[in-house]
Amino acid sequence: MTDPARNPDYPPNVAVDRQTLDMAQRAGLDADLGSKVPPRYGTFTVAVMVGILIALLAALFWIIR
């Protein structure tokens, strides 16, 4: 048996598409991902980045002196 979702001979069902869209809107899944604000960096990430920066500055200072 052929899968209707993969067979171009079967036309799309508008009622099913509308029902799927309604369900996605109620669940909050229809939002555009590009419009969402990215999360801020967490404390651990900031601490690691500061640690790496300090290590790089210390290595640079050690090479220059």
Side-chain angles (χ1 to χ4, degrees), residues 12-50:
N13 189 334
V14 179
V16 172
D17 291 343
R18 184 68 213 168
Q19 181 183 11
T20 304
L21 178 62
D22 289 342
M23 288 170 47
Q25 286 176 340
R26 276 186 265 135
L29 302 175
D30 65 329
D32 180 22
L33 294 178
S35 67
K36 292 189 177 184
V37 177
R40 291 182 155 195
Y41 290 115
T43 337
F44 177 75
T45 306
V46 172
V48 169
M49 291 171 67
V50 167

